[in-house]
Amino acid sequence: MQNFVKKMKWPDYLILALLVGFFGYIWYSIEGTLNYKWRWELIPGYIVGWHSGREEWFANLLLQGLAATVRISIYASILALILGTILGVARCSANLTVRMLARTYLECLRNIPPVVVVFIFFFFLSQQLIDALDLERWARGIARQEDIGVWEFFFGEMRRFPSLVSGVIVLALFESAFVGEIVRAGIQSIPRGQREAARSIGMSRVQELRYIVLPQAMKRVVPPLANQFITLIKDSSIISLISVQELTYKTVELVASSRMIFEAWITTAAFYFLVCFTLSRVFARLEKRGKAGER
């Protein structure tokens, strides 16, 4: 902290003063002009609550939403990485039809508003898949069991499992378009000479991708993929529109029931900031260690 203060120059102090003044003015406008009564003392109770009957603490609305956001982001990122890698490889395929199909998918998703994409995927794909697999009946059966602690840890409340699956599928399909372009750029960054050398020793194209191109490409695209994962966490708020009960959806519920508009949304913004900022610092440190190891 002391090193950070020493590095600051007078323009940094000026910007900091302007920011403090700006937020102070907003605070004064809300409290004075709008005659808004702040109720920050109630917010902790909506994060962690006390159950008087069972005499134990429990995760309340905001913490439930945060946990759901983390789960959805992790599962969607894994699925998006798998789909994106397939799309990235397809974009570099020697077959023109495969290349054009992959490019059409990527260009459509990257140039259509996310809200539109979410509704299209939800109504025409994820909901149809859930109905076809009868996931609602299966989830209700799990929810009736007594010992479901492991299920709830990984998937939350099992009665809402179909909703979680919908959110993961929709978010993964949308984000896979961006992951696909990142992987495609990584594959094309590998020198052509390495590919020619692989073919000269009798490797097939699949072996060339598996043993030569993809290992190097994936190592190069780790930083942009890490940034995309952080973006995915922020984009997860979009799926609240299809009633997936993540952090943004729970915040809307809290605002509707308590009328604590500013407290609820500021707390939610703080949650998103803490998660994304922490991950960005972790990824930055891992990237530095990777570069140091290469030296």
Side-chain angles (χ1 to χ4, degrees):
M1 185 67 181
Q2 292 179 350
N3 293 333
F4 177 75
V5 174
K6 288 179 181 179
K7 290 180 181 179
M8 291 183 67
K9 306 297 181 182
W10 70 264
D12 300 318
Y13 288 108
L14 177 61
I15 293 173
L16 183 61
L18 290 173
L19 287 174
V20 171
F22 174 72
F23 287 111
Y25 173 74
I26 292 177
W27 189 286
Y28 173 78
S29 298
I30 293 172
E31 200 168 37
T33 307
L34 299 179
N35 196 25
Y36 187 81
K37 301 299 181 182
W38 296 94
R39 292 182 290 167
W40 283 106
E41 69 279 1
L42 299 179
I43 288 295
Y46 287 100
I47 299 174
V48 179
W50 172 257
H51 196 289
S52 57
R54 296 195 300 262
E55 295 188 350
E56 62 181 10
W57 295 98
F58 68 95
N60 212 339
L61 281 175
L62 294 178
L63 195 56
Q64 290 173 11
L66 180 62
T69 294
V70 172
R71 290 191 192 99
I72 290 169
S73 299
I74 292 174
Y75 301 146
S77 65
I78 295 172
L79 183 56
L81 179 61
I82 295 171
L83 295 175
T85 302
I86 295 172
L87 288 167
V89 172
R91 283 281 281 114
C92 301
S93 173
N95 188 298
L96 178 61
T97 303
V98 173
R99 272 203 323 272
M100 292 306 297
L101 286 173
R103 183 171 182 177
T104 301
Y105 178 87
L106 295 174
E107 293 297 337
C108 285
L109 263 68
R110 292 172 65 211
N111 294 287
I112 294 177
V115 175
V116 178
V117 174
V118 164
F119 280 115
I120 290 174
F121 278 141
F122 175 68
F123 289 111
F124 293 101
L125 184 59
S126 67
Q127 192 60 45
Q128 303 299 324
L129 182 63
I130 288 170
D131 293 339
L133 297 176
D134 200 12
L135 286 181
E136 290 189 5
R137 185 177 63 84
W138 176 81
R140 285 196 299 268
I142 295 292
R144 294 191 191 101
Q145 299 177 10
E146 293 183 1
D147 189 13
I148 58 172
V150 176
W151 289 99
E152 289 185 342
F153 176 79
F154 286 103
F155 303 113
E157 188 178 344
M158 287 306 297
R159 294 184 185 278
R160 296 196 177 97
F161 179 75
S163 174
L164 181 139
V165 172
S166 294
V168 169
I169 292 174
V170 168
L171 198 58
L173 289 172
F174 174 67
E175 294 293 332
S176 64
F178 300 91
V179 174
E181 279 297 282
I182 293 172
V183 173
R184 189 268 310 162
I187 292 174
Q188 292 182 343
S189 70
I190 305 301
R192 186 178 296 273
Q194 294 193 27
R195 301 181 182 183
E196 293 174 353
R199 292 172 190 170
S200 68
I201 61 175
M203 281 189 175
S204 65
R205 182 167 178 81
V206 175
Q207 291 174 323
E208 170 196 330
L209 279 171
R210 180 181 176 184
Y211 297 110
I212 305 296
V213 177
L214 279 180
Q216 297 182 78
M218 296 308 289
K219 187 179 292 185
R220 294 186 180 188
V221 301
V222 166
L225 284 178
N227 291 331
Q228 189 61 39
F229 176 61
I230 294 173
T231 302
L232 184 147
I233 294 173
K234 294 182 289 185
D235 288 345
S236 66
S237 61
I238 301 173
I239 60 176
S240 63
L241 297 172
I242 54 174
S243 299
V244 178
Q245 299 196 11
E246 43 72 67
L247 182 55
T248 301
Y249 185 93
K250 291 291 188 180
T251 305
V252 173
E253 282 189 344
L254 174 56
V255 170
S257 62
S258 67
R259 298 298 177 184
M260 292 190 296
I261 302 171
F262 296 105
E263 296 94 331
W265 285 114
I266 290 173
T267 304
T268 297
F271 276 137
Y272 278 114
F273 176 80
L274 286 173
V275 172
C276 295
F277 181 75
T278 301
L279 287 174
S280 68
R281 302 317 304 161
V282 170
F283 291 143
R285 182 162 294 185
L286 291 176
E287 186 179 349
K288 287 181 180 179
R289 286 186 180 180
K291 289 181 179 179
E294 291 176 0
R295 294 175 186 173

